[in-house]
Amino acid sequence: MTEQTALPDAPGTEGAGAKPDAAVVRDALGVGVAVGLSGFAFGVTSAGSGLTLAQTCALSLLVFTGASQFALVGALAAGGNPLTAAAGAFFLGVRNAFYGLRLSQLLALPRAVRPFAAQWVIDETAAVALAQPTRRAVRIGFTVTGLTLYVLWNLTTLLGALGAEAIGDTDAWGLDAAGPAVFLALLAPMLKDTTERAVAAVAVLLGLGLLPVLPAGVPVLVAALAAPLVLWARGRRAGGAEDDGAARGAVKDDCAVRGAAEGEDGR
């Protein structure tokens, strides 16, 4: 993800680089509404996985991170152990902590507000906030996206859970894939360098490759090893390149010494 710095806003800073509040609100609403509607798919999938209406709504109210919620109910629906399913959902949710580290600097919110804002630190709010040029725009984007998404996600979760019986088999409708599809659509533009793409590719290979042989929920945990594996391989390659460079340098130095010696002998 491209790093940018939002400076404190001050009177007279509406010039170059500033973004109209209306444009920020429009972008934030677009993301919040588009993603918030997919809460319906989660509600249907969760109810179809055997969770009660109260459990389904509690997940959206308290957890509020779509990828983790879908991972949890998907593992449970496949017959996975509840602890394993929860662990997989937890590891997917850990990424939000890293978003929070960056957003805390950009938002610079009062201490009393931070615990409440933390509930809205997810992929969508981070994507909108990090795209803004000023602190004011960051705060507007984060707040509007978070509020819109939280309200819509929980409302559509309730509607989806209530309408699960009328819809019937969620697999036939493909609703169980809606959440992951939205998550991937948000993630794909963030994979900007070779290392990030390699981590994503290895994670996919691990997750899909181990799906037939490991219990439900476990492949997600194993896929988390993609990042350290890629970084380790990258470190080895960099170390090898340095060794090769040092070896070539040593050969050149040796040749230079020999040449100088031969020149001395000639004189």
Side-chain angles (χ1 to χ4, degrees):
M1 185 181 297
T2 303
E3 185 175 327
Q4 54 92 48
T5 301
L7 298 176
D9 296 311
T13 59
E14 296 86 358
K19 188 174 182 179
D21 292 352
V24 180
V25 171
R26 183 186 62 242
D27 294 344
L29 285 174
V31 173
V33 172
V35 180
L37 293 176
S38 64
F40 182 83
F42 170 72
V44 172
T45 304
S46 180
S49 301
L51 272 68
T52 66
L53 177 64
Q55 290 171 331
T56 297
C57 291
L59 276 174
S60 283
L61 285 166
L62 302 176
V63 178
F64 187 54
T65 173
S68 296
Q69 291 178 234
F70 272 101
L72 176 63
V73 299
L76 292 176
N81 183 287
L83 291 178
T84 304
F90 171 79
F91 275 106
L92 277 176
V94 165
R95 71 190 186 282
N96 295 331
F98 294 99
Y99 295 156
L101 292 174
R102 181 63 181 140
L103 288 175
S104 65
Q105 300 173 1
L106 298 179
L107 292 168
L109 297 172
R111 284 186 184 276
V113 179
R114 291 176 190 174
F116 301 99
Q119 177 69 354
W120 289 354
V121 176
I122 53 176
D123 301 300
E124 295 80 8
T125 55
V128 173
L130 291 171
Q132 307 309 321
T134 63
R135 177 157 291 149
R136 176 181 174 82
V138 168
R139 288 175 172 175
I140 293 173
F142 177 84
T143 303
V144 174
T145 306
L147 179 61
T148 305
L149 186 50
Y150 191 76
V151 171
L152 273 180
W153 181 267
N154 282 283
L155 178 60
T156 53
T157 292
L158 174 62
L159 294 175
L162 290 173
E165 269 188 46
I167 291 177
D169 184 11
T170 58
D171 291 340
W173 290 83
L175 292 175
D176 55 325
V182 171
F183 176 71
L184 289 175
L186 288 166
L187 177 65
M190 299 181 186
L191 305 178
K192 295 182 177 180
D193 61 39
T194 305
T195 301
E196 291 170 351
R197 293 191 187 103
V199 169
V202 173
V204 169
L205 290 174
L206 287 174
L208 294 180
L210 297 174
L211 197 60
V213 296
L214 292 179
V218 176
V220 174
L221 299 178
V222 178
L225 297 174
L229 283 174
V230 171
L231 292 176
W232 173 79
R234 182 182 177 185
R236 292 238 348 177
R237 186 191 304 176
E242 289 178 2
D243 291 342
D244 290 343
R248 285 194 292 269
V251 170
K252 288 181 180 178
D253 292 342
D254 184 53
C255 291
V257 170
R258 289 182 181 179
E262 290 172 357
E264 291 290 337
D265 292 341
R267 284 197 298 272

